[in-house]
């Protein structure tokens, strides 16, 4: 079940990613990747960083 458009827009703004990224299903998660985080990093900061990495990885795979 897909979230409503208002929820998708809110997620896109919070994570600073496009709606196209949120709607794509090419890569679901970075399960095998562990990254060091700053001690004061919030869950929102970590989610934003993961979303940015996924977005760039999907763009790379699309070009490749």
């Amino acid at each position: 079940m897909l979230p409503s458009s208002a929820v998708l827009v809110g997620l896109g703004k919070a994570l600073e990613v496009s709606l196209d990224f949120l709607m794509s299903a090419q890569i679901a998660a970075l399960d095998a990747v562990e990254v060091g985080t700053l001690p004061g990093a919030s869950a929102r900061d970590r989610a934003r960083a993961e979303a940015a990495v996924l977005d760039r990885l999907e763009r790379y795979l699309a070009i490749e």
Side-chain angles (χ1 to χ4, degrees):
M1 182 167 118
L2 289 175
S4 69
S5 60
V7 171
L8 286 174
V9 169
L11 282 172
K13 286 182 181 178
L15 297 173
E16 297 178 356
V17 296
S18 68
L19 291 177
D20 291 333
F21 170 75
L22 291 175
M23 297 300 294
S24 71
Q26 188 173 9
I27 300 174
L30 295 176
D31 293 331
V33 177
E34 291 186 26
V35 221
T37 58
L38 296 173
S42 67
R44 181 179 180 183
D45 292 335
R46 288 188 297 273
R48 181 179 294 146
E50 183 175 337
V53 169
L54 286 172
D55 182 45
R56 286 169 179 82
L57 182 57
E58 284 186 348
R59 289 176 191 216
Y60 171 80
L61 292 174
I63 292 170
E64 188 178 80

